[in-house]
Amino acid sequence: MNNKLKRYIIKSMLIISSLLLLSGCWDVKDIDNRMIAVVLGIKSAEDDNIEVFIKFPKPETMMKGSSAGGSDETPFIVIHETAPTVFAAINKINLKLPKSLDLKSIQTVIVDEELAKKGLLPYLEFIIRSRMVPVDANFAVIRGEFSPLFYSKAQTGDSSGMLFTNFFDESAGGSPQKTNIEMWEIYSRLSNPLVSALAPVIQANKQQDTLFTVEGNGYFLGDQMVGLLPQEYMLSYSILSRKIKGNEIIVVDKADVKIIKNDIEYTKMGLNSYGKPFVHLKVSLDLNLVDSSKLNKISKDELENKVSAIVEKTANEIIKQTKPIGADVFQFGNRFRGIINADQYGQWPSLYKDMEIKIEIQSHLRNTGMLKF
């Protein structure tokens, strides 16, 4: 064998070897061959089964401007199936489809109230284990009828099921009363005995001007929803949970004030001589005056005191409602990880029932504007 032939063989082997290292597209599915889901719904059914709803956008109707009300054609497809488990129901739905089912674009997961009261972990675990659904998808509980949230076309338009996602976006509404929680958060809190999860509860809007309305926020003991906090409590919850974003408004005696800063100091925390936990909080609020009536005669000090009184009263109402059943919605338990023994973590709901909680609110009005006093 001459040198020229040897060089040819070596070059050929190197080329073939390099081709084997290249990543191909053999497992890639074209977007035209996929059914891209955006909303996943799970509700209770008869005989301990569950019913799974999946909503798909119809790109052709989106192109026609159906989201703006320019077409009477339904801009989405809804398919549902019943099975003992969520995974089994999804497999049944997959068998119906003419294209590959893609759940990686799911942006909202909703469950009905009956299932939430029964216990959610068996029905949400597949999301964390399989990674079929994004763990940053929004989560909500449905009160009342389930189907209208999937089949109705509200006046605001819902071309692809995006209203679910947009509704829970931080920029939507600008209200602290509209809480949101993602799948990884709800799953971690349902699995953590030291805290209690809080999730928005929504209902189909009967007037159909919008897709749904917020009924309140459900609080959990373990993985079971055990009660509902009214919407008006959510401002105080946001303050004590340090979720203030700087655009929250409080209305006091015809004066509107904006919370621009929220600080929390745990002045005392520990176990008393009887082994019962206690915590003392000092919350500082910096406020700006946004608007006030010319007829308003309230002074700066009076306004600050009234804001503090409103926040403190509502925070105590939340504690009064949730503490007797051991639902730690403010997640004090996480701060006691290094104070109580690890074998007491499972007993935290019982310890929390006997917990002494003192809250002090101090408000500071930084910009008085045209306030008359």
Side-chain angles (χ1 to χ4, degrees), residues 34-40 53-62 73-80 93 96-99 101 149-151 153 158-161:
R34 288 185 287 165
M35 294 283 286
I36 299 176
V38 291
V39 182
L40 173 68
F53 288 72
I54 299 181
K55 193 170 191 176
F56 307 89
K58 292 168 66 174
E60 63 272 16
T61 57
M62 295 172 65
E73 187 178 355
T74 304
F76 45 75
I77 300 170
V78 178
I79 300 179
H80 59 95
I93 291 174
K96 287 184 175 182
L97 301 178
K99 301 179 182 179
L101 176 60
L149 288 169
F150 280 85
Y151 292 100
K153 274 183 63 176
D158 188 14
S159 60
S160 62

Side-chain angles (χ1 to χ4, degrees), residues 104-116:
K104 296 189 184 301
S105 294
I106 291 286
Q107 296 164 337
T108 306
V109 177
I110 57 176
V111 301
D112 72 332
E113 189 174 13
E114 183 178 343
L115 202 65

Side-chain angles (χ1 to χ4, degrees), residues 166-178 247-249:
N166 294 339
F167 182 82
F168 292 112
D169 190 86
E170 290 183 2
S171 62
S175 171
Q177 297 179 4
K178 188 191 292 183
N247 60 351
E248 288 78 4
I249 302 294

Side-chain angles (χ1 to χ4, degrees), residues 24 44 89 205 303 325:
S44 56
N205 187 3
L303 185 57
I325 58 175

Side-chain angles (χ1 to χ4, degrees), residues 194-255:
L194 295 176
V195 301
S196 295
L198 194 71
V201 178
I202 60 178
Q203 185 171 21
N205 187 3
K206 297 179 181 179
Q207 283 72 38
Q208 287 293 293
D209 50 349
T210 59
L211 186 62
F212 41 70
T213 56
V214 179
E215 294 295 300
N217 288 267
Y219 54 92
F220 289 74
L221 187 60
D223 68 337
Q224 297 178 320
M225 194 176 97
V226 292
L228 186 73
L229 292 176
Q231 280 303 97
E232 56 267 26
Y233 287 4
M234 286 305 101
L235 178 58
S236 291
Y237 172 79
S238 297
I239 291 171
L240 266 69
S241 302
R242 305 193 75 167
K243 296 180 180 291
I244 293 296
K245 300 177 177 64
N247 60 351
E248 288 78 4
I249 302 294
I250 303 178
V251 181
V252 182
D253 286 348
K254 299 181 181 179

